């Protein structure tokens, strides 16, 4: 079967919501070794905002931490949101707190949803997940299946016991290919992606090493075939040393000097301009800002090549200026 998932006249795009609220944990359970599933709802039982596959939310945690987690439940269920959290032994404490301290009834402040990894129209999909990278792909395969699309999911992990949502995914039959490393070795990406396929989109989420190899295998695929979501920022390509420049905050009526040692985000916040931000690594999209004049030096891990070339938006937590002046909608 080769049908189109969504109306091609209205392609998916990055979306963001201004919704911010206190939610309560209504359920938590172990989804796999080291992976906790958490379901969130509004205290009064009102509906949460709608979302689309690939979306994530910002979750504020104790100690001033803010973390992004993909929504991995059913978009049709507006009564609650589900996230999956991997306990990272070497992390900065957020996932450890969720794994060890978070209980049913706990209140959390959230923002979103924001979608930087939208599911675009296609006749066929190849989904590739590594470990906790399965979370944004669970609602994607649900959408592909519901629309009657042709799709396959290749899901790799260290062991079967460490791989979340296997029971849920088992209902899709042989469309889901499970590859525990201790049983079958690493994902055979040459076999999975070796032959470019017209009309097929590849969606991948997982550790950096997986994303890098998938990107290499997709070099011969048609432009725009590969879509990835990163947990950590890709190394930025920097030409020479950073220099200072001016940022004109059009709405605030301020002109701010950005020295080499500060990001735009830091400089404008120091000047009293309030900007929403979260990851400060150029991967979450919270600080995305329209560019009115000037040429950004894009250093994020989010914008596509076409979006970078358009130069009409930028992530001010990491990106800089190629000239002496930027005018931003701040």
């Amino acid at each position: 079967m080769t049908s189109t998932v969504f109306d091609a006249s209205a392609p998916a795009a990055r979306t963001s919501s201004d919704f911010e609220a206190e939610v309560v944990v209504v359920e938590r359970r172990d989804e796999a070794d080291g992976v906790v599933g958490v379901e969130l709802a509004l205290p009064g039982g009102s509906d949460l905002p709608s979302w689309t596959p690939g979306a994530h939310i910002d979750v504020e945690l104790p100690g001033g931490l803010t973390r992004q987690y993909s929504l991995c439940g059913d978009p049709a269920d507006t009564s609650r949101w589900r996230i999956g959290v991997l306990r990272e032994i070497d992390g900065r404490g957020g996932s450890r707190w969720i794994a060890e301290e978070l209980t049913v009834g706990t209140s959390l402040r959230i923002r979103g949803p924001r979608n930087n990894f939208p599911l675009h129209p296609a006749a066929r999909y190849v989904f590739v997940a590594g470990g906790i990278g399965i979370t944004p792909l669970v609602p994607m395969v649900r959408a592909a299946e519901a629309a009657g699309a042709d799709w396959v999911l290749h899901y790799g992990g260290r062991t079967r016991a460490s791989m979340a949502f296997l029971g849920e995914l088992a209902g899709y039959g042989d469309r889901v290919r499970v590859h525990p490393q201790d049983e079958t070795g690493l994902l055979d990406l040459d076999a999975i992606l070796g032959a470019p396929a017209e009309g097929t989109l590849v969606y991948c989420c997982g550790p950096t090493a997986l994303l890098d190899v998938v990107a290499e295998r997709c070099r011969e695929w048609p432009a725009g075939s590969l879509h990835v979501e990163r947990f950590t920022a890709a190394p930025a390509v920097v030409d020479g040393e950073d220099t200072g420049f001016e940022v004109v905050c059009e709405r605030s009526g301020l002109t701010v000097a950005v020295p080499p040692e500060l990001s735009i985000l830091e400089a404008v916040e120091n000047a009293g301009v309030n900007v929403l931000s979260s990851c400060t690594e150029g991967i979450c999209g919270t600080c995305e800002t329209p560019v009115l004049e000037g040429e950004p030096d894009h250093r994020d891990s989010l914008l596509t090549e076409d979006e970078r070339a358009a130069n009409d938006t930028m992530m001010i937590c990491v990106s800089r200026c190629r000239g002496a002046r930027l005018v931003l909608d701040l």
Side-chain angles (χ1 to χ4, degrees):
M1 182 179 297
T2 56
S3 59
T4 300
V5 173
F6 300 116
D7 178 5
S9 66
R14 291 200 316 276
T15 58
S16 180
S17 167
D18 293 331
F19 182 75
E20 184 171 353
E22 294 282 343
V23 294
V24 63
V25 176
V26 293
E27 186 174 343
R28 65 157 285 160
R29 60 184 175 273
D30 293 333
E31 298 287 0
D33 289 349
V35 179
V36 178
V38 178
E39 298 202 6
L40 307 168
L42 290 170
S46 300
D47 283 346
L48 290 157
S50 60
W51 58 280
T52 53
H56 70 268
I57 56 173
D58 297 339
V59 180
E60 295 183 9
L61 302 173
L65 298 173
T66 299
R67 295 290 181 266
Q68 291 76 44
Y69 296 107
S70 296
L71 293 172
C72 57
D74 182 358
D77 183 0
T78 57
S79 68
R80 57 179 58 191
W81 285 341
R82 182 177 72 174
I83 59 175
V85 181
L86 172 67
R87 187 185 188 279
E88 297 183 79
I89 303 300
D90 299 324
R92 292 178 285 179
S95 66
R96 187 165 60 249
W97 182 84
I98 289 175
E100 298 176 0
E101 305 292 337
L102 186 70
T103 59
V104 171
T106 300
S107 292
L108 295 170
R109 189 148 196 89
I110 56 88
R111 291 197 303 265
R114 183 176 299 107
N115 198 340
N116 303 319
F117 189 44
L119 188 63
H120 292 266
R124 183 174 183 270
Y125 297 95
V126 176
F127 299 107
V128 181
I132 197 62
I134 190 62
T135 50
L137 301 186
V138 170
M140 287 189 181
V141 301
R142 180 194 295 269
E145 178 73 6
D150 185 10
W151 64 273
V152 62
L153 166 66
H154 292 275
Y155 180 13
R158 291 182 293 101
T159 65
R160 195 174 294 269
S162 72
M163 300 170 71
F165 309 121
L166 287 181
E168 185 174 326
L169 293 168
Y172 295 115
D174 62 5
R175 286 185 184 271
V176 175
R177 319 284 172 82
V178 179
H179 306 267
Q181 187 176 344
D182 65 336
E183 297 177 23
T184 62
L186 295 172
L187 287 165
D188 186 353
L189 295 173
D190 285 331
I192 295 169
L193 301 170
E198 289 288 341
T200 298
L201 295 183
V202 179
Y203 277 79
C204 180
C205 185
T208 298
L210 172 65
L211 299 183
D212 290 345
V213 177
V214 167
E216 181 64 31
R217 296 300 185 278
C218 288
R219 285 188 185 278
E220 302 303 318
W221 284 59
S225 296
L226 176 61
H227 300 265
V228 302
E229 183 165 64
R230 293 182 176 272
F231 298 141
T232 58
V237 177
V238 179
D239 297 327
E241 295 184 1
D242 289 341
T243 59
F245 53 92
E246 280 188 348
V247 166
V248 178
C249 302
E250 184 75 9
R251 283 187 287 115
S252 302
L254 295 174
T255 298
V256 179
V258 182
E261 68 273 14
L262 293 183
S263 68
I264 296 174
L265 176 64
E266 291 169 325
V268 298
E269 286 186 331
N270 289 346
V273 179
N274 186 32
V275 182
L276 279 180
S277 65
S278 184
C279 73
T280 67
E281 295 180 338
I283 58 174
C284 77
T286 306
C287 70
E288 183 171 2
T289 301
V291 178
L292 305 179
E293 293 180 29
E295 184 181 0
D297 178 4
H298 295 290
R299 301 184 184 182
D300 64 277
S301 300
L302 191 57
L303 295 176
T304 65
E305 290 304 314
D306 287 344
E307 289 169 332
R308 290 184 176 211
N311 279 332
D312 56 9
T313 190
M314 68 186 298
M315 307 302 157
I316 63 172
C317 64
V318 291
S319 297
R320 300 186 68 80
C321 178
R322 291 194 178 276
R325 182 173 178 269
L326 282 173
V327 180
L328 303 179
D329 185 20
L330 289 172

